[in-house]
Amino acid sequence: MRLLRTFLRVQTAVNSGQFLRGLHQKSGETDLLKHLRSRLKAAGPITVADYMREVLTNPAAGYYMHKDVFGTQGDFITSPEISQMFGELLGVWCVNEWMLGGSPRSMQVVELGPGRGTLAQDMLRVFQQFPMMQDAVSLHLVEVSPKMAAMQEERLTGVIKDDKRKNAASGEDIVYKRRKTKSGVPISWYSDIHDLPQGFSCYIAHEFLDALPVHKFQRTPQGWREVLVDVDDREGPHHLRFVLSPSPTAASKGFIQAGEKRDHLEVCPQAGVLVQHLADRIAGHGGAALLADYGHDGSKTDTLRGFRNHQLHEVLQEPGSADLTADVDFSYLRHMCACKDKVVTHGPMTQREFLENMGIELRLQVLQRNADKSQRKDLLSGYDMLTNPDKMGDRFKFFSITRQRTPPKGSRTPSEPAGFYRLEFQ
């Protein structure tokens, strides 16, 4: 209900041009707000996508750039931080894809937006249980935040050293860190997915797409108009406001599909370009991609929201101090992959279904055998948080891109990737 009330307030403001009156106290000012105000007064309103990009990744004051935002002390907590079972099952998924791909001599495990490195750490622990993979696996992390890259390095290697990020911008070295894990697995860090080497790869993107910038559109009697962000010097709660473009923009002309039925729309072109790039890599060099995120299958309209201290936070309030996120439209991603040869998409499927298909209940039973009372309580709590439909179970969706493959005649191996059908355990 709170999200609905926020949506109604924003839409009323956008439609009428009138904002809430009688609130004389403006929200706090941040360094990023000062930067945005100067930019807006000089060049006019910006798109919501530009606003998100500034809020999250501005080099000087972006939300992700200089602090640890995860965990109970941060603003939100992710599935890998809740239970080791999550990362372990994604590790099993990678092993299964490697085997279905013919067990190639090398496999790149690529994680986009690796957080604290917890998911990578749990997956690596699984790979150690398969001796035939010991010399095949390498880890490749795509991370733009220096703070988060340092945390990943410490978790996975035990040390933090200087990196070459200053050279990456000049093209001298597109890999700004090269290390080895405590168990000897090579790790490389990149600022951009296009810098990754070619090769058989398993791509993992968990809560990555929902932070990519979205354009917002609204249907009006005059046609589609883009929602923009502008300065608000009038009475009201914030220093910024939403406005509508007076005429169609390049984005409203190019990003809205013919036959769209919704009146309010969010489109993330960067996510579309990303999945097409992954599809090309998978078609050319093998492997698969697994994308897990908040999302829907083309049914939702207004999902942009902020999070701070595990609570909803006004999108325009104190920019740079809170996370911004928008649900992933998986129908758009499927559409963007439809033109690609040799690949096929799967899902979206709820997190609950995916983890159950991967055998989370069996893994829970195994871990409980050697756990004390407190550990068993934590395991059950984590299991409930991950799979309960009223918690993360149905809220998160899984989506996959794989090569087209037809099982040999008489084979019982499904064409879908693991998790999109129920694995048989003996």
Side-chain angles (χ1 to χ4, degrees), residues 156-214:
L156 297 171
T157 72
V159 296
I160 301 177
K161 301 178 182 178
D162 291 338
D163 60 47
K164 299 180 180 179
R165 189 181 295 265
K166 60 181 180 295
N167 295 329
S170 63
E172 294 179 30
D173 193 346
I174 59 177
V175 182
Y176 65 84
K177 287 181 189 282
R178 294 183 193 271
R179 307 285 187 262
K180 285 193 175 182
T181 68
K182 300 168 187 176
S183 60
V185 175
I187 319 178
S188 300
W189 277 263
Y190 311 79
S191 296
D192 193 294
I193 189 172
H194 293 85
D195 296 334
L196 290 166
Q198 302 287 359
F200 185 96
S201 303
C202 282
Y203 301 93
I204 304 294
H206 176 257
E207 287 204 57
F208 177 78
L209 298 178
D210 70 310
L212 296 182
V214 297

Side-chain angles (χ1 to χ4, degrees), residues 255-267:
F255 294 150
I256 301 174
Q257 298 177 37
E260 176 58 59
K261 302 299 184 183
R262 289 169 285 181
D263 290 332
H264 306 283
L265 190 63
E266 294 167 339
V267 179

Side-chain angles (χ1 to χ4, degrees), residues 68-78 81-82 116 309-310:
D68 179 10
V69 302
F70 298 95
T72 56
Q73 301 303 312
D75 294 319
F76 55 90
I77 191 166
T78 62
E81 303 288 343
I82 290 171
R116 290 173 164 174
N309 297 326
H310 303 272

